[in-house]
Amino acid sequence: MMKLLFVNCCISQRGGASRTKALADAFLTAFRASHPGAEVEEVTPEALLALKPFNAEMLNRRDALAAENAFDAPVYALARQFRAADAVAVAAPFWDLSYPAALRTYIEYISANGLTYHYDAAGCHGDCAAGHLVYLTSCGDVEREDSVGVIHWRQLAAMFGIPQFDYVFAGGLDARPDMAGDTLTAACTLAGALAKTL
């Protein structure tokens, strides 16, 4: 059974009217319709916001576990989940030239040397099963589509050994309110089409 991991960082003052969540919903609806036997596993906004950033002591404990090959420890649960997924979709709004801090903390947990990637004499090699990572984002202002979030997740996909990276960026939704509906609709259509290719 194919497993899609949906990392839901749709943290928004708009609540249910989140434009990024609209992108994610369009993607997930199309994915479920085109992959009826697949499983969707979600990392919720609440789970992301509950994560504590690593401090020196936490890093030392995690490194000690890695040295013992103890990757079944709870601190590696998110990394194990990420490593096992067949495809990954990450949804996050464009915040402060990147994305919410909760997603950055999540990246710290899934970036586990010896589990999601490893180093040898030839350099860094990804160890994740996913063949495709999709990044979904929206922005009120008119920003460059090669935003920090897009660039970072493209680089992370490469580090994790995920060969295919795509993104959907719905920008200018507040700067051009007269076009916002059409812009979001077009982005949702693109997200839906992308989901069918996984």
Side-chain angles (χ1 to χ4, degrees), residues 24-181:
D25 287 344
F27 181 91
L28 293 172
T29 297
F31 177 80
R32 289 187 172 105
S34 57
H35 302 78
E39 176 185 356
V40 176
E41 193 168 341
E42 180 178 353
V43 180
T44 66
E46 293 77 17
L48 293 173
L49 289 165
L51 294 174
K52 181 180 178 181
F54 281 96
N55 58 30
E57 181 182 352
M58 293 168 65
L59 286 171
N60 287 336
R61 287 202 303 266
R62 188 173 74 162
D63 288 348
L65 289 166
E68 297 173 1
N69 227 26
F71 292 112
D72 57 345
V75 71
Y76 287 112
L78 290 171
R80 291 195 304 270
Q81 179 188 49
F82 189 92
R83 184 181 193 268
D86 298 303
V88 179
V90 179
F94 185 92
W95 274 17
D96 302 328
L97 300 182
S98 60
Y99 42 72
L103 187 58
R104 179 63 186 86
T105 304
Y106 173 76
I107 291 169
E108 292 184 7
Y109 279 82
I110 62 171
S111 298
N113 188 6
L115 186 60
T116 51
Y117 66 95
H118 71 278
Y119 285 96
D120 62 19
C124 183
H125 306 275
D127 295 312
C128 293
H132 206 147
L133 189 150
V134 177
Y135 184 64
L136 307 166
T137 188
S138 68
C139 178
D141 202 353
V142 179
E143 301 287 350
R144 291 175 57 88
E145 292 193 359
D146 55 343
S147 73
V148 172
V150 172
I151 292 170
H152 195 187
W153 278 99
R154 186 191 304 276
Q155 292 173 337
L156 287 167
M159 184 180 82
F160 294 135
I162 301 173
Q164 181 70 31
F165 172 83
D166 285 292
Y167 69 93
V168 179
F169 189 105
L173 299 178
D174 297 330
R176 297 173 179 169
D178 56 321
M179 300 173 58

